[in-house]
Amino acid sequence: MIEFARSERSTLGVEWELAIVDRETGDLASIADVVLAELAGDDGAPHPQITGELLTNTVELVSGVHRRVADAVDDLLGQVDEVRAVLDRLGAYELVCSGSHPFGQWFDQHLTDQPRYHELIERTRWWGRNMMIWGIHVHVGIEDRDKALPILGGLLAYIPHLQALSASSPFWAGVETGYASNRALMFQQLPTAGLPYPLADWPAFERYVEDLVHTGVIVDHTEVRWDIRPSPQWGTIEVRVCDGVSSAVEIGAIAALVQCLVESLSERLDAGEELPVLQPWFVRENKWRAARYGLDAEIITDVAGTERLVTDDLSDLLTQLVPVAERLGCPVELQQVRRILDAGASYRRQLRVAEASDGDLAEVVAHLAREFRSGAPEPD
């Protein structure tokens, strides 16, 4: 039995993974352990919301539980100020966020010294060492355990929308990949990562976890790393498919879209509706199309195989969700999605900067740092 914690409906929490870079060179800086030590309390206790990650070039900010997206974003920005104060004392460092670093090399990075990370790398080897990836995770509260998997199934239709909006990893180790989100395809190489399996109900999820624990694949359910997963310990649906985004505007917009989608699906369940679920092969194809083409992707929108541009579907979706956003208190943040559509997702902005600087990827890092400081996407 996996207990699903009690959680207030449609409350949310947001996680933001940030890379530390050298201000002069743009290269990754492996000083997160020093930063976290500086942020520890007088008694040595770690910061309650700012944590480390797999590599020592990364800090993760974790918001508290909030009802409104604006409050969650303010929470994260307060933590950014704390980290930046430490970095300013340490020297010339900047914070950036994107799905991948434009030119960082895996063999130059250092692993955080924790048993679970050593075990992960021992098992996954080259693929694990290449996980130089950053993302955002959005948790939304589910008040009834039995809603979790139906809502998860309904959300699978929106994976390409979220992935295209956040796509920010067009470069990998100094190479232009031709993909808007190379991170999406890299991360799914890990065991238990990628798209979720179609499971009918909560007992089916418990049996799935039991099988993996019994065969030594995982230790517990927290090691199920699906693109969208239930997080029983928090009583939430956790959307993990998004690349990292470089501005407060973008993280607020995507968090609002996720919160509104979950609440909308929850309302439909309350009305007795059976939520439609795309065929798994359509879901997989949609993920690949969004990773490859980003906002230019033509996606499959229903079980009949109807196709349309993801931007057109997003535009209609934003209109449909206006009443939900009004009730949740995030109408401004939801409409900021249109700002991403106008400016282009981060992968497009990075490619523009690279082209304008004759392929100088250090300029791309500088662009990401400027966006992070300003809190908004840079206009074309």
Side-chain angles (χ1 to χ4, degrees):
M1 296 291 292
I2 300 174
E3 183 178 353
F4 194 82
R6 295 183 62 85
S7 181
E8 186 178 343
R9 173 170 169 161
S10 292
T11 49
L12 83 158
V14 183
E15 303 169 20
W16 201 0
E17 296 171 349
L18 308 179
I20 305 169
V21 298
D22 184 284
R23 186 177 297 159
E24 299 301 320
T25 67
D27 209 349
L28 290 161
S30 296
I31 61 167
D33 51 347
V34 179
V35 172
L36 294 173
E38 289 281 321
L39 290 169
D42 293 337
D43 58 355
H47 194 289
Q49 292 173 274
I50 303 173
T51 68
E53 253 294 336
L54 174 67
L55 300 174
T56 60
N57 54 40
T58 301
V59 292
E60 182 177 35
L61 314 184
V62 182
S63 83
V65 179
H66 298 278
R67 292 187 176 87
R68 297 174 62 250
V69 170
D71 296 330
V73 173
D74 285 345
D75 185 346
L76 293 171
L77 292 178
Q79 295 174 50
V80 168
D81 290 341
E82 292 184 71
V83 175
R84 197 182 297 285
V86 173
L87 292 178
D88 288 345
R89 291 198 301 272
L90 293 176
Y93 298 103
E94 290 284 353
L95 291 169
V96 300
C97 185
S98 59
S100 64
H101 186 274
F103 61 86
Q105 298 288 345
W106 69 267
F107 45 77
D108 292 329
Q109 311 313 314
H110 301 286
L111 192 67
T112 298
D113 190 16
Q114 290 188 14
R116 67 189 180 108
Y117 293 138
H118 288 293
E119 290 167 8
L120 175 66
I121 296 302
E122 175 57 31
R123 185 170 189 218
T124 59
R125 305 300 288 178
W126 188 88
W127 283 113
R129 288 302 309 271
N130 267 276
M131 290 296 139
M132 297 185 301
I133 55 176
W134 295 266
I136 60 171
H137 302 164
V138 181
H139 290 259
V140 181
I142 306 293
E143 81 280 12
D144 180 352
R145 182 198 74 174
D146 290 335
K147 281 185 170 183
L149 286 168
I151 289 175
L152 187 158
L155 284 173
L156 295 180
Y158 302 103
I159 276 182
H161 306 69
L162 295 165
Q163 190 168 275
L165 280 172
S166 65
S168 61
S169 47
F171 300 103
W172 196 269
V175 176
E176 183 181 333
T177 65
Y179 282 78
S181 174
N182 198 58
R183 170 192 172 274
L185 304 183
M186 174 64 71
F187 186 56
Q188 69 184 17
Q189 304 306 318
L190 291 183
T192 78
L195 293 169
Y197 295 100
L199 299 172
D201 51 28
W202 193 256
F205 177 70
E206 291 176 326
R207 289 192 296 272
Y208 164 77
V209 171
E210 182 181 17
D211 284 347
L212 296 190
V213 171
H214 177 72
T215 54
V217 179
I218 61 175
V219 174
D220 59 33
H221 63 79
T222 64
E223 294 184 350
V224 174
R225 299 182 175 94
W226 292 340
D227 293 334
I228 305 175
R229 69 178 181 183
S231 283
Q233 70 274 32
W234 307 118
T236 65
I237 285 289
E238 182 184 0
V239 175
R240 302 158 48 86
V241 73
C242 296
D243 277 12
V245 294
S246 63
S247 70
V249 164
E250 290 167 292
I251 201 167
I254 291 170
L257 179 57
V258 172
Q259 186 188 31
C260 289
L261 284 171
V262 172
E263 174 61 21
S264 175
L265 293 170
S266 188
E267 289 175 353
R268 291 166 68 179
L269 287 174
D270 290 344
E273 183 177 343
E274 183 176 344
L275 300 180
V277 178
L278 286 182
Q279 296 92 315
W281 40 95
F282 283 176
V283 174
R284 183 169 297 278
E285 175 65 13
N286 275 344
K287 178 180 177 178
W288 185 87
R289 291 184 188 186
R292 170 66 177 89
Y293 300 110
L295 292 173
D296 292 321
E298 190 174 78
I299 63 168
I300 304 162
T301 59
D302 58 31
V303 296
T306 305
E307 297 175 274
R308 67 189 308 218
L309 283 171
V310 68
T311 48
D312 291 342
D313 211 55
L314 266 168
S315 184
D316 289 349
L317 182 62
L318 294 175
T319 301
Q320 295 165 16
L321 291 174
V322 164
V324 180
E326 293 284 355
R327 292 194 292 275
L328 294 175
C330 61
V332 173
E333 290 79 13
L334 180 67
Q335 295 308 315
Q336 292 286 16
V337 170
R338 298 189 189 276
R339 187 168 176 181
I340 302 175
L341 298 178
D342 292 340
S346 179
Y347 75 92
R348 284 185 179 172
R349 306 194 304 267
Q350 292 181 50
L351 291 169
R352 288 200 299 259
V353 171
E355 182 179 6
S357 60
D358 295 323
D360 186 348
L361 297 186
E363 286 298 317
V364 176
V365 179
H367 149 80
L368 291 169
R370 289 193 302 271
E371 288 197 334
F372 193 84
R373 277 192 176 269
S374 73
E378 285 190 338
D380 190 357

